[in-house]
Amino acid sequence: MPESLRIAIYYQNNLRSVFIESLILELKKHTDVYLYTTCAKGEIHFFLESLGIETFSVKPLGIKKYFPVEYVYQGYKLHRFCRQKKIKVILSHLQFSNLIASIYSRITGVITIPCRHHIDASFLSGSLNSKLQDKLVSFFSRKQVVVSKQAKDFMVREENANAAKIEYIPLGYNFSLYPSPEREKVELFKLRFSHKYKLIMISRHIASKRHDLGLKLLRKLLDKGLDVGLVILDSGPTTSALMGLASKLEISNNVYFEGYQTNVINHLASCHLLLLPSIQESSNQVVKEASLLSIPSFVCSGVGDFNDYMKHKKNCFMVDREVFVDKGGQLLFDLFSNKDWEESLCNLGGDAKNDILKLFAIEPVAKKYLNLIENINER
């Protein structure tokens, strides 16, 4: 990789992302890399700057009524940045950044590789604007990366995307960037969530994440006489409805709505099992974070890339999406009724950790990006 082939990671968030951080730090071993975001500087900028990475940002105009102006403005700022830093390659991530970068590439010829982190989110949400953005990114991009094989299959099947333009490269992590659990905080959380069996859900509160099924599953377990608590992190459009459902199901004393947390590690470490009834995933990050702590997950089969690396009762619990509550209730009742339930979870979590460390290391992932860039550059 020529040193002059400078790379910009183009991103639309200022919160920490271990994947983005890992990718930048690994690519930095081979060439010059910068972080450039379409939002004000935040945690991810400050963290990377502390490690010697140059970061740049552009605050959005915030004119929602005239949202095309925002694209033009951000595109102009991106052009100035690329000229100033002599950027030759843009690796963009997430929908808004991907669209700006892919159009910019067509105009200027700068190599741009947008990375799509979702499969069917636009279809599940029913957003015509989101569907249009996906189609435009596919149309303008010469190559596009997806983080799961299932995303590529969906794009070809449902969006008539050109399979030759889509490259599957999994997420990758420098796992040492994750903070270790803080013992004192973990113990405090365990005291607060004072139930024998502790479950946790971590995802944005939207309909496709199906938090309501987590609440109904909890009700079922309580009806079976188990002392179970459910911790729910994050927030979103369905938060109020979920709180209302908890009250209706008379489980409010066993549910802990903790809101958005910048560091989920301590909460995870205080619980026994991660619940994820979601049907909107491509390659879920929280499952990997839980696995890193040897905490197993309970997921739905046929969602995202789960079936590629997760095996029921080998390194996780997995059921069909249609029977998450009924089958899941019986499965967890059987688990917690066994006197060796902690050992069983420990074994599942240990195998999950080994698989995650082996399959999602950053080094081979960064190499795939570099090889893809070289192949495009040679054409």
Side-chain angles (χ1 to χ4, degrees):
M1 176 66 62
E3 288 189 7
S4 59
L5 201 59
R6 296 182 167 190
I7 299 175
I9 303 297
Y10 192 46
Y11 192 47
Q12 63 190 60
N13 207 326
N14 59 13
L15 301 176
R16 286 200 60 188
S17 164
V18 173
F19 163 62
I20 295 293
E21 295 163 0
S22 301
L23 182 61
I24 290 174
L25 293 171
E26 189 63 27
L27 292 176
K28 184 65 174 177
K29 297 176 182 178
H30 304 273
T31 189
D32 292 332
V33 186
Y34 306 87
L35 172 69
Y36 182 85
T37 65
T38 60
C39 57
K41 285 194 175 187
E43 295 172 1
I44 189 170
H45 300 81
F46 306 141
F47 175 76
L48 288 170
E49 286 171 359
S50 73
L51 297 177
I53 303 295
E54 286 191 72
T55 73
F56 302 84
S57 65
V58 174
K59 292 181 180 180
L61 290 174
I63 309 175
K64 291 186 178 180
K65 185 177 180 180
Y66 305 105
F67 71 91
V69 176
E70 187 69 54
Y71 285 91
V72 174
Y73 172 73
Q74 291 287 353
Y76 168 70
K77 289 292 188 178
L78 177 63
H79 177 60
R80 289 189 60 182
F81 169 76
C82 289
R83 290 191 63 182
Q84 176 189 355
K85 291 297 179 180
K86 299 179 181 178
I87 299 297
K88 300 299 182 183
V89 179
I90 300 172
L91 302 180
S92 61
H93 293 268
L94 303 182
Q95 201 174 52
F96 178 67
S97 302
N98 285 346
L99 182 53
I100 296 170
S102 57
I103 295 175
Y104 176 73
S105 175
R106 283 292 185 176
I107 296 172
T108 64
V110 172
I111 296 173
T112 295
I113 305 174
C115 180
R116 174 165 162 166
H117 289 244
H118 67 277
I119 296 180
D120 53 357
S122 301
F123 283 72
L124 290 172
S125 68
S127 170
L128 295 178
N129 182 50
S130 185
K131 288 181 182 179
L132 177 60
Q133 289 185 51
D134 283 342
K135 284 187 173 294
L136 289 174
V137 171
S138 295
F139 175 77
F140 285 114
S141 61
R142 293 178 174 87
K143 273 286 185 182
Q144 185 174 183
V145 167
V146 293
V147 299
S148 69
K149 290 176 284 188
Q150 291 76 11
K152 179 175 181 177
D153 293 342
F154 179 86
M155 291 169 66
V156 173
R157 184 180 68 251
E158 301 293 338
E159 300 177 0
N160 298 316
N162 183 349
K165 292 172 61 176
I166 306 171
E167 190 84 11
Y168 160 59
I169 301 179
L171 296 174
Y173 304 87
N174 176 348
F175 290 103
S176 67
L177 295 180
Y178 280 105
S180 298
E182 300 169 274
R183 177 184 286 262
E184 290 185 2
K185 290 186 177 180
V186 171
E187 292 304 317
L188 286 174
F189 284 141
K190 287 181 178 180
L191 288 174
R192 281 187 57 216
F193 315 140
S194 57
H195 303 276
K196 185 174 181 179
Y197 313 109
K198 303 175 184 66
L199 312 177
I200 187 169
M201 301 181 74
I202 307 175
S203 59
R204 180 157 168 75
H205 298 181
I206 54 178
S208 57
K209 298 296 184 178
R210 306 203 304 175
H211 293 81
D212 58 314
L213 297 192
L215 297 176
K216 293 174 182 177
L217 175 61
L218 174 62
R219 178 68 269 174
K220 186 173 285 286
L221 294 174
L222 294 175
D223 288 342
K224 292 177 179 290
L226 297 177
D227 178 22
V228 186
L230 174 60
V231 179
I232 300 179
L233 302 191
D234 217 320
S235 60
T238 64
T239 300
S240 295
L242 292 172
M243 290 180 172
L245 179 60
S247 178
K248 181 179 179 181
L249 293 174
E250 299 181 345
I251 57 175
S252 296
N253 291 335
N254 296 73
V255 181
Y256 303 84
F257 288 94
E258 296 289 285
Y260 175 77
Q261 303 290 327
T262 55
N263 179 1
V264 302
I265 297 299
N266 292 325
H267 281 84
L268 271 171
S270 69
C271 295
H272 298 115
L273 182 68
L274 174 70
L275 293 187
L276 192 69
S278 170
I279 56 172
Q280 180 186 317
E281 304 296 335
S282 188
S283 187
N284 183 273
Q285 181 166 293
V286 178
V287 165
K288 302 175 183 69
E289 293 170 344
S291 298
L292 190 61
L293 299 175
S294 297
I295 296 170
S297 300
F298 180 16
V299 302
C300 294
S301 62
V303 174
D305 62 354
F306 288 149
N307 289 71
D308 291 347
Y309 67 95
M310 302 180 80
K311 305 298 179 187
H312 180 54
K313 292 189 176 181
K314 298 294 184 182
N315 59 5
C316 73
F317 294 115
M318 183 183 290
V319 298
D320 291 338
R321 65 180 71 187
E322 293 84 4
V323 294
F324 185 85
V325 175
D326 292 335
K327 199 165 184 178
Q330 188 60 50
L331 188 154
L332 294 186
F333 175 75
D334 292 342
L335 168 71
F336 293 137
S337 297
N338 189 316
K339 63 182 178 64
D340 297 322
W341 67 272
E342 288 183 285
E343 182 180 348
S344 297
L345 287 179
C346 184
N347 291 336
L348 281 180
D351 288 342
K353 179 177 181 177
N354 291 335
D355 292 336
I356 290 298
L357 292 176
K358 179 174 61 177
L359 297 173
F360 294 97
I362 187 58
E363 292 84 357
V365 168
K367 187 174 182 180
K368 288 180 180 180
Y369 273 100
L370 292 171
N371 290 339
L372 180 58
I373 292 169
E374 285 195 53
N375 291 337
I376 296 174
N377 197 41
E378 290 172 358
R379 292 175 185 172

